[in-house]
Amino acid sequence: MKFFIDTAELAEIEDFAATGLLDGVTTNPSLIHKAGGNFFETIERICQIVPGPVSAEVTATKADSMIEEGKRLASIAPNIAVKVPLTWDGLKACRVLSQAGTMVNVTLCFSAAQALLAAKAGATFISPFVGRLDDIGQDGMALIDEIVTIYANYPGTLETDILVASIRDPIHLVEAAKLGADVATLPPAVLRKLVRHPLTDKGLDAFLADWEKTGQSILS
Ligand code: E4P
């Protein structure tokens, strides 16, 4: 399973990229607004930090303009994945951009039918938003299950990677991995939580306290 980070904050991206565990980055207009700074400079810098796919979202709503914006975004770096919304215009733009060899991430997916359309349009990634479905009392992870099943029914035809988005906690990640989703995009706060377990901290404290009592040192 690939791990993407869901942020436009450069310091956070640098921090997690240094672990060697980061496979890509997703951004959206809200995350760009939150991070501040110039959109193009930010995306260019992210593409330098992380060699894997970096999603940058179009803001036009008509297919022709989305395609123009997509081409401009794709010119920033070879690892750009152009993000388009799951609308008819977005699907048209997805088809044209993906046929031209550009990675496309179709975003704001909330149903299995939408995911099927995106795959037929040649999307590199489909982004189902699990947290936002949970927020309205629906089951976000059930949607991932449905999409995994549908894509698996058509091997060699529906080649789109399932990129689980709108993740709110580590349980979402674990459930998505159990279902076989290809990618999870995680907010920095959730990424940070993944490594933590109180028994790890407690165990390490005890080991170090006992080691101290031996009066020995590994390097001298
Ligand atoms: C994914 O690409 C989106 O940027 C993101 O996961 C949305 O998450 P949110 O629902 O927490 O805003």
Side-chain angles (χ1 to χ4, degrees), residues 22-208:
L22 202 56
D23 300 299
V25 180
T26 51
T27 69
N28 62 39
S30 302
L31 293 172
I32 292 289
H33 173 63
K34 188 174 166 208
N38 177 273
F39 173 55
F40 287 100
E41 287 171 12
T42 300
I43 295 294
E44 192 174 358
R45 181 69 193 117
I46 295 173
C47 289
Q48 290 164 353
I49 300 168
V50 179
V54 173
S55 289
E57 189 158 341
V58 300
T59 55
T61 54
K62 296 290 172 209
D64 287 350
S65 308
M66 284 184 191
I67 293 163
E68 285 316 301
E69 288 187 358
K71 286 180 183 166
R72 171 71 182 90
L73 294 174
S75 74
I76 296 174
N79 54 329
I80 285 285
V82 174
K83 223 175 179 188
V84 299
L86 218 157
T87 60
W88 286 117
D89 284 278
L91 293 171
K92 280 187 214 163
C94 172
R95 184 140 196 89
V96 171
L97 291 166
S98 61
Q99 281 183 339
T102 299
M103 286 188 286
V104 181
N105 176 357
V106 179
T107 191
L108 291 167
C109 171
F110 295 95
S111 78
Q114 289 180 321
L116 187 51
L117 285 171
K120 283 183 70 70
T124 315
F125 302 103
I126 180 69
S127 289
F129 278 37
V130 294
R132 294 194 193 186
L133 279 171
D134 290 354
D135 288 347
I136 60 159
Q138 295 189 16
D139 185 349
M141 214 44 69
L143 173 59
I144 303 303
D145 199 2
E146 279 187 294
I147 301 172
V148 168
T149 303
I150 290 168
Y151 285 6
N153 282 343
Y154 301 95
T157 311
L158 303 181
E159 295 287 86
T160 301
D161 278 354
I162 302 170
L163 192 170
V164 182
S166 187
I167 284 181
R168 302 276 197 257
D169 54 54
I171 294 168
H172 273 147
L173 171 70
V174 172
E175 291 302 318
K178 280 157 69 177
L179 292 170
D182 304 283
V183 189
T185 189
L186 301 139
V190 176
L191 261 172
R192 220 168 271 119
K193 280 186 196 167
L194 296 182
V195 81
R196 298 301 303 271
H197 195 288
L199 291 180
T200 303
D201 297 341
K202 190 178 169 193
L204 182 58
D205 286 348
F207 286 155
L208 293 180

